[in-house]
Amino acid sequence: MRFFRRILAALPAALLLSGAALAQSSEERLVHQRMAASGFIPLDEMTFGGRDVRRVLPVDPYGMLPIPGIELERHADGRLTLRAQYRGWSGQAYDLSAGEWEQVAGLETAAYAPPAKSSTRSNPNVVVHCWSGFLEASPDKAASWWGCNDGTRPAQVYTEAVLTLAMRKMDCDPSDKETLWRFSECLARTRKIDDPALAANFTELQSRWEKQREPGSDILARARLSLRAAQANRTDSLVATARDAVFAFGRQQEALRTIIQTSFSPFRAAEERGGGSAVILAETRRAWLEDVNAQDRNYIGLLEELARVQAVGSNSQR
């Protein structure tokens, strides 16, 4: 009988949570999904268990770095803590004072308010990469921000305040770099390949990838501009330039895919052993592959545009 009374007592809370889930927007659902995919316990499970949490998850401009998120929690006994969380591991829990908690809590209302209309104007011919982030809080708050959008600035300020607090607790070295880059570098130092020789090889591999990946956005932008020029004024010269620019992006994609396919062999034994090193290697390869696959969609779009431009020329010659 006691068991059934507990079930009945839990029903109102469960119904409220169900109603909240139904009322969520697609953007809010995306935030919750992204948080769960990054290693956090789903927020509805935390709320149903009576846990009070605040979370932020920064994302680098290319979405490639394995950057953890930060979770603040007010425990049932009044204890306040902060810890890092990422796929496969949880960081040490650091105690917070009431003043430290309030320092970031004071920014929360503005962070979750609907974004103001942005005054940012982006050039459609330029591919822009900016930091972004996700945040959520009990019982069902969710928001996101993009550094290129002035309208989401309060959410970014809130995120940076949490990261600054985390770095202070973790004794990160001072740096002149902006908060987000400093956080990514500080937390990356806590997730290193165990074996020194493999760690050196992995650092070399990351440098090789970054050097190859860096010009990708410019190559893509040149291809798009060349196609638009050929569409606006179709000449053999402009079509040839567009074709070369599109194929240059294809070669960029192939070079990145080759790095993924051929450069992880030295790390196979470490991955088979499992542990923290295996998580770092697997997540890095996954992130790189997702990046290439996403850019492949851009390449397909370029090829389709090029085919249409060439088709116009073929029809006009008949």
Side-chain angles (χ1 to χ4, degrees):
M1 188 67 178
R2 186 178 301 169
F3 171 76
F4 287 107
R5 281 200 297 269
R6 282 200 297 267
I7 294 248
L8 290 172
L11 277 175
L15 289 172
L16 284 173
L17 287 173
S18 175
L22 289 173
Q24 288 176 359
S25 67
S26 59
E27 181 180 353
E28 289 172 330
R29 287 194 295 271
L30 174 63
V31 172
H32 293 315
Q33 291 168 1
R34 183 62 182 266
M35 287 293 196
S38 296
F40 289 107
I41 297 173
L43 190 62
D44 56 353
E45 295 181 20
M46 300 284 281
T47 303
F48 191 76
R51 298 177 66 179
D52 183 13
V53 296
R54 310 285 187 272
R55 296 160 167 174
V56 301
L57 177 66
V59 181
D60 71 279
Y62 292 100
M64 289 167 33
L65 300 178
I67 306 174
I70 295 295
E71 180 174 85
L72 308 174
E73 181 169 3
R74 185 193 300 274
H75 299 263
D77 60 2
R79 182 186 176 209
L80 304 171
T81 60
L82 172 153
R83 68 183 180 88
Q85 176 67 49
Y86 195 71
R87 300 180 183 93
W89 68 276
S90 296
Q92 172 186 345
Y94 296 88
D95 288 327
L96 300 178
S97 67
E100 289 172 327
W101 178 279
E102 292 301 327
Q103 179 183 357
V104 295
L107 303 171
E108 189 174 310
T109 299
Y112 286 97
K117 184 176 181 181
S118 174
S119 60
T120 302
R121 295 289 183 268
S122 60
N123 186 333
N125 296 328
V126 178
V127 180
V128 181
H129 299 277
C130 293
W131 279 86
S132 58
F134 302 90
L135 46 151
E136 63 180 7
S138 303
D140 61 359
K141 292 181 181 178
S144 62
W145 58 270
W146 183 46
C148 291
N149 184 350
D150 294 340
T152 60
R153 180 63 181 165
Q156 182 177 350
V157 169
Y158 173 76
T159 298
E160 292 183 4
V162 173
L163 301 185
T164 299
L165 177 59
M167 289 188 289
R168 187 163 66 243
K169 288 294 179 179
M170 298 174 187
D171 293 325
C172 293
D173 295 333
S175 171
D176 293 333
K177 294 186 178 180
E178 62 181 6
T179 301
L180 295 159
W181 279 114
R182 182 178 167 229
F183 177 79
S184 69
E185 292 179 353
C186 172
L187 272 291
R189 287 197 292 271
T190 67
R191 304 183 69 243
K192 291 183 177 180
I193 304 296
D194 298 330
D195 182 276
L198 283 181
N201 290 338
F202 186 59
T203 298
E204 182 180 347
L205 173 58
Q206 287 178 306
S207 297
R208 181 185 168 197
W209 169 270
E210 291 167 5
K211 182 178 180 180
Q212 182 66 50
R213 178 63 178 83
E214 184 177 2
S217 59
D218 292 333
I219 297 173
L220 176 59
R222 283 196 295 271
R224 286 174 170 165
L225 286 171
S226 298
L227 284 168
R228 289 177 185 176
Q231 289 169 339
N233 181 22
R234 197 209 176 281
T235 66
D236 291 343
S237 176
L238 289 177
V239 171
T241 299
R243 182 173 57 248
D244 291 344
V246 169
F247 289 165
F249 187 72
R251 289 192 296 273
Q252 161 76 357
Q253 286 295 98
E254 185 60 30
L256 291 174
R257 197 175 294 279
T258 298
I259 291 176
I260 298 172
Q261 293 172 344
T262 63
S263 301
F264 280 86
S265 298
F267 308 102
R268 188 169 299 149
E271 291 189 86
E272 291 174 353
R273 287 194 299 269
S277 296
V279 171
I280 295 170
L281 292 165
E283 288 300 326
T284 299
R285 180 166 49 201
R286 179 200 59 78
W288 290 0
L289 187 58
E290 286 182 355
D291 179 54
V292 173
N293 289 340
Q295 295 303 319
D296 277 346
R297 291 192 286 273
N298 282 327
Y299 186 42
I300 291 172
L302 294 176
L303 290 172
E304 290 173 344
E305 284 295 316
L306 177 61
R308 283 193 284 269
V309 169
Q310 293 177 322
V312 170
S314 299
N315 291 336
S316 64
Q317 293 174 4
R318 292 177 182 175

